[in-house]
Amino acid sequence: MRILVLNHEYPPIGGGGGQAARLLARELALRGHEIIVITAHIDNLAREEVLDGCRIVRIPSLRKDPYRAGFLTMAAYVLAAIQTGLNLIHTWRPDLIHAHFAVPAGATAWSLSRLTGVPYLLTSHLGDIPGGVPEKTDRWFRWIMPFTKPIWQYAARVSAVSEYTSSLIQQNYPITPIVIPNGIQIKAVDSARLQAHRPPVIIFAGRFVPQKNLGVLVETLSMVRDLPWKCTLIGDGPLFNEIDRMITANGIADRFSLPGWIEPDEVLGHMAHSDLLFMPSLSEGLSVAGLQGLANGLAILASNAEGNRDLVAPGQNGYLVDPNDPGALSSALRNLIANPENLSAARRASLALAERFDIRRVTDRYESIFEEIVS
């Protein structure tokens, strides 16, 4: 099958949605499908190359930051992707289009489908739904909401990465999505690697934006300064300097490492030498960093945001806590890192839970939907 994948974010740029798209595209290519991905160009990346058996086409979109896509860059992506997509459809003739995010890729998919008749599957990752990430997108949706309705209605199928994402879609559009979680590549982990480090290593990976609630992370860690620990905060964003200053002001800078925005494989390298993933987010669809944490056997301390509930079995592989309660977060963190045996047991439980999200299982479900659409 020939599948045209649309996503304005695709590694090495973007966050979890791009990484999820890449893992799925790679697995589909391994199974013999032909995959072309249209994504945004930035800096010195190749305009076109083959990665993981997939042809990656990067188009101009005014994008300057790997961790952030503004409204104008999204609009530019739509316009350039329509032109590039039309050329590919006429020469390569894909069987279907798979759009990740209703905005902006969904707008491109809708346009291409209306112009050429090629059907599309729309996968929503949360930030493309009204109310999903309100501090980021509510202002946009005041203006674009009426224009988004056809994107959802004309899709051959709609999928959502979590039950929470699905519920938000149903609140805003007359659509009942199929829930298919993001997938993760499962690799064998040496049992010796699941022993807690001394001191325990805590990790965060994501954008430094209000949604991720990093100020509470720093406050929580300052409350357990009497315990030994180290923390790595991976990522970048508009709040990077503010968080750096907050760490210094709390007198715990010697415990932190802030490597900035790094390649996804480097993130996995850091996870391989960590014990606990800290995710105090205010909202999540289904965090790819969380899935990577499971696959690396990390205990997880997460907010009780709806999308995190698929990642944590409370009391087994970690805890779900109110993201606005540093006291409760610090208590849960203390339970994990003060006792190496508890921490190691939580790590083993995470590794067992990861099997639910094996990319092979996820790809089986997508293949089934693709066949339904094409037939």
Side-chain angles (χ1 to χ4, degrees), residues 53-130:
C54 307
R55 180 181 164 194
I56 314 300
V57 179
R58 298 188 178 94
I59 58 176
S61 70
L62 307 178
R63 185 154 184 158
K64 297 180 180 178
D65 297 319
Y67 54 83
R68 177 171 53 195
F71 186 78
L72 287 178
T73 64
M74 290 187 181
Y77 172 84
V78 171
L79 295 175
I82 289 172
Q83 180 179 354
T84 301
L86 283 173
N87 292 336
L88 283 170
I89 288 171
H90 289 309
T91 58
W92 183 56
R93 301 188 183 281
D95 298 294
L96 62 90
I97 299 166
H98 187 184
H100 291 267
F101 296 100
V103 181
T108 302
W110 175 83
S111 300
L112 292 174
S113 183
R114 301 297 285 175
L115 290 169
T116 66
V118 178
Y120 66 97
L121 166 68
L122 175 62
T123 293
S124 173
H125 294 267
L126 184 67
D128 49 348
I129 314 163

Side-chain angles (χ1 to χ4, degrees), residues 81-372:
I82 289 172
Q83 180 179 354
T84 301
L86 283 173
N87 292 336
L88 283 170
I89 288 171
H90 289 309
T91 58
W92 183 56
R93 301 188 183 281
D95 298 294
L96 62 90
I97 299 166
H98 187 184
H100 291 267
F101 296 100
V103 181
T108 302
W110 175 83
S111 300
L112 292 174
S113 183
R114 301 297 285 175
L115 290 169
T116 66
V118 178
Y120 66 97
L121 166 68
L122 175 62
T123 293
S124 173
H125 294 267
L126 184 67
D128 49 348
I129 314 163
V133 186
E135 68 276 5
K136 178 182 176 183
T137 61
D138 269 11
R139 181 169 51 87
W140 299 354
F141 278 112
R142 290 194 196 106
W143 299 99
I144 68 171
M145 178 68 179
F147 304 101
T148 64
K149 293 180 179 179
I151 295 170
W152 300 87
Q153 293 169 344
Y154 283 98
R157 297 287 189 283
V158 174
S159 68
V161 298
S162 67
E163 292 290 348
Y164 173 54
T165 306
S166 174
S167 69
L168 278 181
I169 293 169
Q170 293 177 67
Q171 290 173 29
N172 289 279
Y173 304 100
I175 300 292
T176 302
I178 305 158
V179 177
I180 306 178
N182 291 325
I184 192 68
Q185 188 173 14
I186 305 296
K187 296 181 179 180
V189 176
D190 188 340
S191 59
R193 229 184 74 188
L194 299 178
Q195 295 300 311
H197 293 84
R198 299 194 180 187
V201 181
I202 300 161
I203 190 170
F204 164 87
R207 292 178 169 96
F208 283 51
V209 293
Q211 174 204 355
K212 299 300 183 180
N213 205 24
L214 284 170
V216 165
L217 180 150
V218 175
E219 185 178 353
T220 299
L221 287 172
S222 70
M223 296 172 72
V224 295
R225 69 177 71 212
D226 57 299
L227 295 175
W229 51 265
K230 293 285 188 181
C231 182
T232 302
L233 301 184
I234 298 173
D236 203 344
L239 298 183
F240 184 92
N241 292 334
E242 179 180 330
I243 296 302
D244 193 15
R245 286 193 296 269
M246 187 176 179
I247 291 168
T248 301
N250 278 273
I252 48 179
D254 61 326
R255 304 248 197 137
F256 279 82
S257 171
L258 284 78
W261 194 267
I262 58 178
E263 297 281 347
D265 288 345
E266 293 180 78
V267 175
L268 295 178
H270 280 280
M271 286 189 174
H273 296 91
S274 301
D275 296 283
L276 183 145
L277 179 65
F278 197 170
M279 299 170 53
S281 311
L282 299 175
S283 61
E284 287 288 352
L286 182 62
S287 166
V288 171
L291 295 176
Q292 292 170 335
L294 291 180
N296 277 277
L298 301 185
I300 298 181
L301 175 58
S303 71
N304 56 7
E306 293 277 354
N308 286 338
R309 297 178 185 179
D310 293 332
L311 301 173
V312 180
Q316 297 180 38
N317 73 318
Y319 296 97
L320 294 169
V321 183
D322 183 340
N324 297 308
D325 190 345
L329 285 165
S330 65
S331 177
L333 182 59
R334 189 177 293 274
N335 287 340
L336 287 167
I337 66 175
N339 188 323
E341 292 182 2
N342 287 350
L343 185 54
S344 294
R347 296 190 62 186
R348 291 191 294 271
S350 277
L351 200 59
L353 185 58
E355 294 293 335
R356 294 174 47 194
F357 304 98
D358 189 329
I359 188 61
R360 293 169 295 186
R361 295 184 182 184
V362 170
T363 306
D364 287 343
R365 297 187 64 187
Y366 272 111
E367 275 191 316
S368 177
I369 294 172
F370 291 160
E371 289 168 3
E372 289 177 10

